[in-house]
Amino acid sequence: MEARKTALPGISNITNLIMQRFLCLVLLSVLCVATTSGNRYCQKYEILRQSSRVSNWEEANNECKRKRMSLVKVDNMEEDAFLRTFLDKENPGNNADGWFIGGKYSNGRWTWSDGSPMIYQNFPGGNGFTSMAQEVTNYAFIMKSGYAWGYVSPFGTQRMGYICESTRC
């Protein structure tokens, strides 16, 4: 991954982030576009600050849906590293403890907000749960400090922003 500053007519200080075959433009959000075998792929990320209007994972998920997006689904190490770089450069966290992502632990397994299994995970120590784990719902987030993954219960007092994504071009 590589980052560089670019100037476009009428717009200054745009950061381009290169993620494998994607060119990503960073303004208030980031849009990544690639063309492979004649097909165009897009990935748009929007990082939203912690606000009084969104105080938990469910509300963050609903806000992303309202924007016709979803909470970010981190599919692999490369996307995880890309998000960390983006968060490090933009760091819109203000007073937040981190940002909700789309992972949800319920009924003994992690899934993404769309219901698909959470195959890639980057929690310290694996999924962070032992066989004796409580059967409560937990929600994944990226911590502001060090951009490591963590999880919180619906009863947590953490102040979170959230990361929405869209794959529509």
Side-chain angles (χ1 to χ4, degrees), residues 67-169:
K67 295 173 172 284
R68 298 188 60 204
M69 300 174 88
S70 62
L71 281 171
V72 68
K73 179 178 175 179
V74 184
D75 287 320
N76 54 54
M77 241 183 335
E78 182 182 33
E79 185 176 17
D80 190 14
F82 173 80
L83 283 172
R84 288 170 193 242
T85 300
F86 183 43
L87 288 168
D88 188 47
K89 290 191 173 311
E90 299 301 310
N91 200 355
N94 291 348
N95 296 326
D97 297 313
W99 301 270
F100 283 119
I101 60 176
K104 180 178 181 177
Y105 181 84
S106 184
N107 299 318
R109 66 187 188 104
W110 281 101
T111 58
W112 291 111
S113 59
D114 66 3
S116 63
M118 192 180 198
I119 308 247
Y120 175 79
Q121 298 178 21
N122 196 9
F123 296 105
N127 70 5
F129 295 118
T130 66
S131 59
M132 301 301 288
Q134 292 181 328
E135 284 301 317
V136 297
T137 300
N138 282 278
Y139 302 104
F141 74 103
I142 296 175
M143 295 179 219
K144 182 177 179 181
S145 174
Y147 309 111
W149 285 29
Y151 51 87
V152 294
S153 78
F155 313 109
T157 59
Q158 294 83 1
R159 298 161 304 176
M160 298 290 181
Y162 51 102
I163 306 171
C164 300
E165 80 172 332
S166 173
T167 54
R168 287 189 304 277
C169 291

Side-chain angles (χ1 to χ4, degrees), residues 4-19:
R4 62 180 179 249
K5 294 280 186 186
T6 305
L8 293 176
I11 303 173
S12 62
N13 283 338
I14 294 175
T15 302
N16 290 333
L17 295 175
I18 308 298
M19 181 175 66

